[in-house]
């Protein structure tokens, strides 16, 4: 004997009988309850594949990398900045870059050109997932010994050590205080032992306006 089946009304959506098992003869309320459960199940896959929103630290990381990637006017491996108040957003070991390097605007350890007398500060975002880095501004030129920190004391400005990136707190960012530079040649250096010695530094050229 075949079990009795109750087709859905057109108002309920007109599902084929084979797509939904309905209970035996009963009240219309039972059919509505069963339909509700069925529609709820249909919604589950969409919920499971929904893309979660980015965490706040991921948004901040993306914003900082974008800001650094567009900073200054680049010509080869030289970046020029203009204005009376300048922030230079540097990345330590940007994604896809060599170890123990600084990056700005896609350039590795670029020469930074600044106008004399401008108020300047450097920001350092550490994208390295393994080790800390820092940034110090100094007149001391390379080559640097294993412990460059001793050679550059006291620095003109510095961020101190910036912890490595991790999945919970994200990329750490620190900044120097504001300072001004006279025309001349300076260097930005990672003060962590062995880093500057292995090439983690870049040149700063300060020019008089109009020169």
């Amino acid at each position: 004997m075949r079990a009795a089946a109750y087709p859905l009304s057109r108002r309920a959506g007109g599902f084929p009988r084979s797509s939904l098992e309905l209970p035996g003869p009963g009240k219309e309320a039972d059919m509505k309850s069963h339909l509700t459960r069925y529609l709820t199940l249909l919604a589950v896959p969409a919920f499971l594949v929904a893309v979660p929103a980015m965490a706040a630290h991921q948004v901040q990381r993306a914003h900082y990398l974008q800001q650094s990637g567009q900073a200054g006017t680049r010509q080869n491996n030289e970046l020029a900045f203009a204005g009376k108040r300048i922030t230079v957003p540097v990345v330590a070991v940007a994604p896809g870059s060599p170890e123990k390097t600084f990056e700005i605007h896609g350039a590795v350890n670029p020469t930074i050109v600044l106008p004399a007398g401008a108020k300047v500060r450097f920001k350092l975002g550490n994208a390295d997932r393994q080790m800390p880095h820092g940034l110090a501004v100094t007149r001391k030129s390379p080559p640097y010994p294993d412990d460059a920190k001793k050679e550059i004391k006291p620095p003109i400005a510095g961020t101190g050590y910036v912890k490595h990136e991790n999945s919970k707190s994200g990329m750490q960012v620190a900044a120097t205080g504001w300072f001004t530079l006279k025309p001349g040649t300076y260097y930005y250096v990672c003060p962590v032992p062995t880093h500057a010695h292995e090439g983690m530094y870049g040149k700063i050229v300060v020019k008089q306006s109009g020169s």
Side-chain angles (χ1 to χ4, degrees), residues 33-211:
S33 175
H34 199 75
L35 176 60
T36 300
R37 290 175 58 193
Y38 178 74
L39 294 177
T40 300
L41 288 174
L42 287 179
V44 170
F47 172 79
L48 290 176
V49 299
V51 178
M54 291 177 68
H57 67 78
Q58 292 174 315
V59 174
Q60 292 170 356
R61 179 184 192 274
H63 176 73
Y64 185 84
L65 291 176
Q66 181 183 39
Q67 183 185 45
S68 179
Q70 298 173 347
T73 301
R74 180 177 175 181
Q75 185 173 3
N76 298 321
N77 209 50
E78 183 176 285
L79 287 172
F81 291 81
K84 296 181 178 180
R85 197 174 180 88
I86 300 168
T87 295
V88 183
V90 184
V91 180
V93 193
S97 299
E99 292 184 356
K100 299 177 184 177
T101 55
F102 291 118
E103 287 77 35
I104 315 171
H105 205 134
V108 177
N109 296 336
T111 295
I112 297 171
V113 180
L114 300 170
K119 287 189 175 181
V120 179
R121 70 171 178 174
F122 280 72
K123 293 177 74 175
L124 180 66
N126 188 2
D128 195 327
R129 295 180 179 272
Q130 298 181 336
M131 62 185 76
H133 294 288
L135 186 149
V137 178
T138 179
R139 273 194 176 275
K140 176 67 178 177
S141 60
Y144 299 103
D146 278 350
D147 193 356
K149 190 175 181 180
K150 295 179 180 179
E151 293 288 319
I152 62 177
K153 279 187 175 181
I156 296 169
T159 62
Y161 286 11
V162 183
K163 292 182 179 180
H164 64 82
E165 182 176 7
N166 62 71
S167 58
K168 291 185 178 180
S169 58
M171 185 173 69
Q172 304 298 301
V173 179
T176 68
W178 292 96
F179 60 96
T180 58
L181 295 173
K182 296 179 180 180
T185 301
Y186 305 81
Y187 297 86
Y188 58 102
V189 177
C190 181
V192 176
T194 75
H195 290 196
H197 178 71
E198 295 178 22
M200 196 169 183
Y201 63 86
K203 183 186 290 187
I204 302 170
V205 178
V206 180
K207 295 182 178 182
Q208 197 66 258
S209 180
S211 63

